[in-house]
Amino acid sequence: MDFYVVPAKRERRRIFAWDPKFSQRARRANLAEDIKLAPEAHQTTVDAFFAEFASRLDPPQYSYMALRRFLSQADEKDLQQPSATSLDSQGSVLLDDRRDSTGWLGTDGETYSARDWEGYSRYPPEGENPVTLLLDIQGLYKRQPISDFGFALEFHLPYYALRHGVSRRFDLRGLRRSYKFRSGLVDENLHEYLYEAQVSLLVTGSDEWFWTAYCCAETYFGSEESAKYYHEKRLDAPSGGEISSRLPVWNPREYFLSILSRRLKQVTKEWNNTVKAVEQCLKAYPNQGVYNND
């Protein structure tokens, strides 16, 4: 056996640490909740958005062209009035809004601007005046604040989902594609369809008291329970109903990781299911493709 000496190298690793400032309550930053974006007469909403967060020191050419092109593809009218593809009548948006203004009450009777997270994890309060609503996309649009957020935690997990059905379903938004998969491996009369899908989560806020979580999950092929279901059962929708809304997770980092853990399991199972189906199809039809030509 030969032995090789590997010279030690000094590696520079990127270490992400939670900034302690986010653990202190920034009361002034919370006022952004009441500020709405108001474009001037000569501005579009996209122009007003970039102007709001622009700096006088920015060079003229530094204008986020890729992001601007992406935002310009959207039609603001879809957010202001019902459209045929928005599924407004189904209440596709679940809003959960609550606050906890107590902070940490110390043994000396003083209220501190940091929470006792161990106590909150064991006995999480439901919060003051919790509001849960089923909204359409217009209702959500009207409630969006302008917030110069301090932190952002996000993930985007794409996958292909294989489902049985009588007929293929289509994404009315035109964002996702679906395919008729080869059938007959289990039952000749059973049709299988392959659907493009993605689940995304963004948690952003100014501190551990004031933060918002946005979760987008595919529902066009029946992969998720409806927003109405989660609302009536008082369950947390981003977690797939595995967290009760009666016992909310107040720590944004803990909430993000809990959703990431559950959604990673979901996407892993979807990919495993799809890959196994493709392998079986390749074995059954070695000289043909995996898609049905019909």
Side-chain angles (χ1 to χ4, degrees), residues 142-163:
K142 294 176 181 178
R143 288 175 174 266
Q144 293 306 295
I146 296 178
S147 178
D148 190 5
F149 56 80
F151 68 86
L153 307 170
E154 63 182 302
F155 68 75
H156 308 277
L157 304 175
Y159 63 95
Y160 279 97
L162 194 62
R163 293 292 187 272

Side-chain angles (χ1 to χ4, degrees), residues 10-18 152:
R10 185 178 179 181
E11 297 183 358
R12 298 184 61 184
R13 298 181 179 179
R14 299 182 64 182
I15 300 177
F16 296 92
W18 187 251

